[in-house]
Amino acid sequence: PDWKYNTGTCLNDGNEPTYMKINKAWVSESLEKCCSRFYSGWNYSKCMNLQGSGLWYVSHLNGKCVTDCVEGNGPTCGGLANPTSDTLYSNPKSCCKSELSYQLTEFCEATSLG
């Protein structure tokens, strides 16, 4: 697991920290096994797919919620979420309620969906 740079995935680059080199319990045979073990739940999708999880997070700059996917890959894609600072939500409504509570939820949801 890449906890040094918080990429939200597992790496196989030979640059694991010393404690992972010493204790091989941190090393997995495959990306799938590593993601299953260290990034369960919605984190699993993000771990397996560096193109984004497809979940929602807030874009304060744009004043709306956007989808965690490469910008330009769909009408709601806002770029890849930061795994350490962006909270992910299953839908734009829950994102709006939690992150943009100063907006009317229905307005925020409609704006987020385009």
Side-chain angles (χ1 to χ4, degrees), residues 12 17 25 34 43 73 91 99 112:
N12 187 15
C34 180
N43 292 312
N73 280 0
N91 58 62
E99 302 287 343
S112 299

Side-chain angles (χ1 to χ4, degrees), residues 6-84:
N6 295 310
T7 59
T9 191
C10 298
L11 301 176
N12 187 15
D13 60 3
N15 294 320
E16 64 270 10
T18 304
Y19 73 91
M20 288 186 185
K21 289 180 182 179
I22 293 170
N23 184 349
K24 294 296 181 184
W26 297 104
V27 179
S28 299
E29 297 171 8
S30 67
L31 178 64
E32 185 175 358
K33 286 183 181 181
C34 180
C35 291
S36 292
R37 181 164 180 205
F38 298 108
Y39 298 96
S40 61
W42 63 261
N43 292 312
Y44 178 80
S45 295
K46 174 70 176 164
C47 181
M48 290 297 294
N49 180 8
L50 293 176
Q51 297 301 308
S53 65
L55 297 173
W56 295 82
Y57 71 98
V58 69
S59 169
H60 288 288
L61 182 66
N62 295 310
K64 65 181 183 178
C65 292
V66 294
T67 308
D68 173 27
C69 51
V70 176
E71 207 164 358
N73 280 0
T76 62
C77 291
L80 298 178
N82 182 319
T84 56

Side-chain angles (χ1 to χ4, degrees), residues 75-113:
T76 62
C77 291
L80 298 178
N82 182 319
T84 56
S85 63
D86 291 325
T87 302
L88 297 175
Y89 299 91
S90 60
N91 58 62
K93 187 174 187 174
S94 57
C95 175
C96 289
K97 279 185 172 183
S98 297
E99 302 287 343
L100 298 167
S101 58
Y102 61 89
Q103 291 184 21
L104 183 63
T105 301
E106 290 78 12
F107 173 79
C108 176
E109 185 178 19
T111 302
S112 299
L113 290 169

